[in-house]
Amino acid sequence: MAISPLKLPREQREQMISLIQEYFEVERGEQIGDLAADGMLEFFLKQIGPYVYNQALSDSRQLVNERMASLEEDIYALELRPGRVR
């Protein structure tokens, strides 16, 4: 199953571009334009995005496993213990 590239809604993309520009201004004392910030965003999405995505899947898998273990314990707790026949 192939995963399609991440497409962000325009509003989110614009906000992220603004955050990248703000970072460069505050941390590096540089101003970069929309095109440069958009290029950086695209780079991060393509190059770093898969690592973040895979970590999110790993975290989700761990949470599901924990929940399933808890559910299994709950199901075992429902088992009836047969009484002794005299």
Side-chain angles (χ1 to χ4, degrees):
M1 177 171 129
I3 302 295
S4 60
L6 181 61
K7 298 292 182 198
L8 299 171
R10 184 169 37 109
E11 298 81 26
Q12 285 182 358
R13 191 170 194 90
E14 289 172 356
Q15 183 179 16
M16 289 181 184
I17 288 170
S18 179
L19 290 169
I20 291 169
Q21 290 171 317
E22 182 180 330
Y23 172 83
F24 270 82
E25 178 83 30
V26 171
E27 297 296 327
R28 301 180 52 115
E30 301 174 30
Q31 290 187 343
I32 63 172
D34 290 349
L35 189 59
D38 187 62
M40 291 211 68
L41 177 57
E42 196 61 32
F43 169 80
F44 287 133
L45 290 174
K46 285 182 181 175
Q47 300 301 318
I48 297 170
Y51 294 101
V52 174
Y53 177 82
N54 289 340
Q55 183 61 51
L57 287 179
S58 178
D59 292 349
S60 297
R61 192 178 303 111
Q62 181 179 350
L63 178 64
V64 167
N65 287 336
E66 289 171 5
R67 295 280 172 94
M68 290 303 293
S70 176
L71 183 59
E72 187 175 16
E73 290 171 9
D74 291 345
I75 292 171
Y76 277 122
L78 295 174
E79 285 186 353
L80 298 175
R81 307 286 183 236
R84 293 178 61 158
V85 177
R86 293 184 191 211

